[in-house]
Amino acid sequence: MTIEDKKEAAEKPLNFIEKIVEEDLRAGKNGGRVLTRFPPEPNGYLHIGHAKSICLNFGLANRYGGQTNLRFDDTNPVTEDTEYVESIKADVRWLGFEWANEFYASDYFDTLYNLAIDLIKKGLAYVDDSTAAQIAEQKGTPTEPGTGNEYRNRSIEENLALFEGMRNGQFAEGTKVLRAKIDLAAPNMLLRDPLLYRIKFAHHHRTGNKWCVYPMYDFAHGQSDSIEKITHSICTLEFVPHRDLYDWCIEKLGIFPSKQYEFARLNMTHTVMSKRKLLQLVNEGFVSGWDDPRMPTISGLRRRGFTPESIREFCDRIGIARHENLISFSLLEFCVREHLNKKARRVMAVLDPIKVIITNYPENQTELLSTENNPEDPEAGVRQVPFSRELYIEREDFMENPPPPKKWFRLGPGLMARLKSAYIIQCHDFVKDQNGHITELHCTYVANSKSGQDESGIVVKGTLHWVSVQHAHAAEVRLYDRLFKAEDMSQAEGNFQDHINPESLQRTTAFVEPCLAEAQIGQNYQFVRKGYFCLDTDSTPQKLVFNRTVTLKDSWAKVK
RNA sequence: UGGCUGAUGGUGUAAUGGUAACACAGAAGUUUUUGGUACUUUUAUUCGAGGUUCGAGCCCUCGUCGGCCAACCA
C-alpha cells in the first residue's frame, strides 16, 4: 500500500463488501488472494448500472492487490451475439479497466456437463419429461408445496442414459430437462428441483453446433466462479434467493467454495436500466441505436461526451449498499461538469443567433483577439478569435423590455455589456420584421475598452459570448434532455414507452468560432456560457455535428 | 397470504452500544471579462411502539412500509 492509498483508505469509509474482504484477508482466507469477476451476458450493451458493478469488482481487486476476470455468461445461445461481446470489451476498457483473463461460461461446457453427470450419479439430479407448464404447476406456490411426478424417481442408470440422449440430440426441444433433486416443499422456490439443463438446437456464438443442451444460469454461474477460483462473487440483490442454490451446487459437487455477495443495483431518475427495455427502445426506433446519446448505455454516454473519469467518480459517490436506491441523473451531470471544467477547452458558439452590427466599427476590418483556452488551466494557453463589424450573439442575451439592471446584466435598449475577450458594446437600436421578430441589433463599441487593455473606466456586469458572422462556421447542435418524463420509471404506469420525453432531442443550427473546424470526434469543449459539447460521430468535414453533454449550472434560470 | 431482504436530511452514503457525519441538491453571500468555476455561511436526518442498558441509529420483540422469488432468462 502506498502512502496515498493509506490516506485514501483512512479518509473514505469502507463499503460493506470491502469490510467483508478485509475480514477475509485478516482471517487468512484464500491465502490472502482476492479474485473477482465481471460476468456480463453478451445479449446487450453495457449501461451505467454495469459501470457500478465494474467499478466495484475491478476496484476491489485494485485496492487489495487482486485481479478481476472478464467472464461472458453465454449459456443462452438464442439471445447472445459476438457484436455484444466486442462492445462489452470496448466499454470495459474505455472505462479504464483491464481484466486478468477473458473467459466464457461456454469454455466450461464440457466440465459442466461432467459435473451434471456427477450430480446424477449422486442421485441428486434427474431427467424430467414434463412440459414447461406442468413443471410450473408442479412447483406449487409460495404458500403451497410443490407436487412431485413419476420422473423424479427414475433410476440413476436411466437418468444417465437419458441425459446422454439429450446431449446427443435424440430428443426434441422442450421434451426433456435435467433437474436437481432437492426439495419440492422448500420455502425458497428456487430449491424446488430447479432446472439444470435444457435442450436447445441453437447455434452458439462460440461453440457453434457442438451442443444441443445448455446449462441454466444456476448450474453455470457458481461452477464457473468455482472453476476460476473466484474468491468474492458479487452480484445484485435479485440473486439473493439464488445463493442457497449456488452454495448447494458447490457443496454437493465438492468444488472450490466461491462465495456470493449481493448489493443493490443502480436505478436512475428519468431512465430505464433493463437490457430488455433498452433493446426495445433500439428495435422500436425510439432511439438511433444502443449508442444514442440519450441512452444510459456506456456507449451512449461516451457519444454524448461523458468521460470515463466522470463515470468512475459517479460510481464512487453513489456508494454500495443493500437497499433499493434511485439516484438523480443530475449527480452524473455534476460529475461530468466537475471533470470537464478542468479539462475542456473553452470556445464560443452561438446556438440561437441574433445579428449585431457594430455601427462605429470599420466595415472591412478584422481584428484577432486573444482569449484563454481554459481559465482553470493556464497551461492550456491562448488562441486568437476574429472580431469584425457583424457578429452573432445569443438571442436570449437581448431583451426589449429587460428587468431592472440589478437583475439583468445583458443587453437591452441603451444597455451595455462586454463581449467576451473583446469590447464593451452599447445597444442603440434594433430592427424587427413584419412578425415583430427582432432580426438585428445596432450597437456601438467602446474603442478603448479592449480586453486586457481597458482604459474606458466603464464597469459592466455582463459578459456575452459571440462569433464573427463572416468567420463563423455553421454546425448542427443536438440538445438532449431526459429520455423519459417520469422521474421514477419503476413506478410509472402503463407501457414504459408511453413515458418517453418527446423533447429529448432537439436539433438546431449554431454558429461556431473557426477553430472548431479542426475538432476531433469525441473531443470535449465548453461552449462558453452554454455547456459542454463534443463532436458527434455523425460529424463530417463538410458538416460539423455537436452533442450537448450537459448544460452549465445556470443561476440566471432560477432568477427568471 | 409463504420465504428472503431492507428502512438514517429532498437524494445517496457513513457512524467498536457513548456528541448523528460527508457529498449532491436547496438557501444566502464573497470573488469573477463565463449569471460558469472557486470560496464562505446556512436549512434539513435515525419508520412506529415497546423492551434490555447508566446510555440504543446500532441489541431484542411486535408492528408498518418497500424490494425480490412461483422464466426450459441472466
Side-chain angles (χ1 to χ4, degrees), chain A residues 472-499:
Chain A
H473 289 65
E476 176 179 329
V477 171
R478 297 176 183 170
L479 306 173
Y480 301 103
D481 196 2
R482 325 262 111 131
L483 223 203
F484 292 94
K485 287 177 289 183
E487 183 173 69
D488 184 355
M489 284 301 291
S490 74
Q491 302 297 319
E493 305 202 345
N495 294 331
F496 78 99
Q497 295 97 324
D498 298 341
H499 298 273

Side-chain angles (χ1 to χ4, degrees), chain A residues 71-75 103-109 112 215 220 224 228:
Chain A
R71 183 173 69 236
F72 290 95
D73 225 335
D74 54 353
T75 58
F103 289 139
Y104 295 78
S106 54
D107 294 340
Y108 312 134
F109 280 173
L112 261 15
S224 300
E228 295 173 22

Side-chain angles (χ1 to χ4, degrees), chain A residues 35-227:
Chain A
L35 215 212
T36 58
R37 105 265 91 115
F38 174 62
E41 184 189 8
N43 67 345
Y45 280 59
L46 260 27
H47 54 62
I48 183 77
H50 293 109
K52 179 180 183 182
S53 171
I54 290 167
C55 290
L56 212 210
N57 278 293
F58 283 88
L60 228 34
N62 267 339
R63 180 170 191 147
Y64 298 106
Q67 291 188 316
T68 303
N69 289 343
L70 175 62
R71 183 173 69 236
F72 290 95
D73 225 335
D74 54 353
T75 58
N76 185 6
V78 302
T79 58
E80 294 154 8
D81 195 277
T82 50
E83 174 199 349
Y84 299 124
V85 171
E86 294 311 314
S87 76
I88 288 167
K89 292 201 283 187
D91 287 348
V92 174
R93 285 207 176 97
W94 179 76
L95 279 172
F97 299 103
E98 195 51 57
W99 47 93
N101 300 102
E102 179 180 327
F103 289 139
Y104 295 78
S106 54
D107 294 340
Y108 312 134
F109 280 173
D110 283 290
T111 309
L112 261 15
Y113 179 78
N114 289 326
L115 289 174
I117 288 174
D118 188 29
L119 224 45
I120 294 171
K121 285 181 178 165
K122 286 173 173 158
L124 293 170
Y126 62 98
V127 172
D128 192 329
D129 299 359
S130 308
T131 64
Q134 285 170 326
I135 289 176
E137 202 193 320
Q138 290 163 4
K139 261 196 182 157
T141 68
T143 49
E144 305 161 89
T147 57
N149 60 39
E150 67 269 31
Y151 308 114
R152 199 168 197 262
N153 300 317
R154 287 219 253 234
S155 71
I156 289 173
E157 291 69 30
E158 192 183 359
N159 283 319
L160 250 15
L162 255 15
F163 187 49
E164 193 179 348
M166 282 169 66
R167 184 227 169 119
N168 291 335
Q170 292 169 18
F171 307 113
E173 255 179 53
T175 59
K176 280 184 171 50
V177 290
L178 184 72
R179 297 177 73 178
K181 191 192 265 190
I182 306 181
D183 178 5
L184 285 164
N188 181 349
M189 300 291 295
L190 278 157
L191 260 23
R192 320 248 264 224
D193 289 12
L195 273 63
L196 267 24
Y197 265 89
R198 75 286 215 195
I199 299 170
K200 274 181 196 281
F201 289 93
H203 181 269
H204 187 279
H205 74 112
R206 297 200 96 223
T207 60
N209 296 319
K210 178 179 175 188
W211 296 90
C212 62
V213 290
Y214 292 94
M216 300 285 289
Y217 168 85
D218 287 304
F219 199 69
H221 199 100
Q223 283 83 327
S224 300
D225 286 341
S226 181
I227 290 166

Side-chain angles (χ1 to χ4, degrees), chain A residues 250-427:
Chain A
I250 283 174
E251 188 207 321
K252 298 302 178 193
L253 260 12
I255 54 180
F256 178 83
S258 298
K259 289 287 178 192
Q260 175 182 303
Y261 302 94
E262 312 87 10
F263 71 99
R265 70 185 313 149
L266 169 66
N267 298 295
M268 285 186 74
T269 57
H270 304 287
T271 194
V272 293
M273 215 67 100
S274 95
K275 280 196 274 184
R276 199 194 94 244
K277 286 178 181 165
L278 295 175
L279 179 62
Q280 268 179 274
L281 290 175
V282 173
N283 286 343
E284 295 166 17
F286 290 104
V287 294
S288 64
W290 285 97
D291 71 342
D292 186 297
R294 293 167 291 180
M295 293 279 272
T297 51
I298 304 298
S299 52
L301 294 169
R302 173 168 60 231
R303 186 171 169 190
R304 172 92 167 247
F306 285 81
T307 59
E309 291 90 336
S310 64
I311 292 172
R312 281 190 252 123
E313 174 66 18
F314 171 78
C315 291
D316 206 44
R317 280 176 183 262
I318 58 178
I320 301 293
R322 268 177 78 84
H323 48 257
E324 291 291 319
N325 58 79
L326 179 64
I327 311 280
S328 171
F329 200 90
S330 55
L331 182 62
L332 217 203
E333 295 181 330
F334 166 83
C335 292
V336 76
R337 279 193 197 107
E338 186 184 46
H339 181 221
L340 258 20
N341 177 50
K342 296 193 194 90
K343 175 190 157 181
R345 294 282 171 104
R346 271 62 169 171
V347 292
M348 292 196 281
V350 175
L351 271 38
D352 183 13
I354 181 169
K355 190 184 274 188
V356 173
I357 298 177
I358 313 288
T359 54
N360 61 341
Y361 196 85
E363 266 188 57
N364 295 313
Q365 184 170 318
T366 295
E367 261 183 283
L368 287 176
L369 301 173
S370 179
T371 186
E372 51 195 346
N373 283 321
N374 186 351
E376 300 295 312
D377 176 16
E379 287 186 16
V382 295
R383 69 177 185 288
Q384 309 298 311
V385 201
F387 182 87
S388 65
R389 190 171 195 263
E390 295 195 0
L391 311 170
Y392 290 122
I393 66 163
E394 213 68 59
R395 180 167 293 277
E396 63 171 16
D397 286 339
F398 174 83
M399 270 183 98
E400 189 178 346
N401 299 299
K406 265 191 116 166
K407 288 256 170 107
W408 180 254
F409 310 152
R410 287 120 96 151
L411 287 179
L415 296 183
M416 291 180 143
R418 175 173 289 282
L419 294 177
K420 170 84 180 161
S421 300
Y423 299 94
I424 292 173
I425 60 170
Q426 181 171 26
C427 179

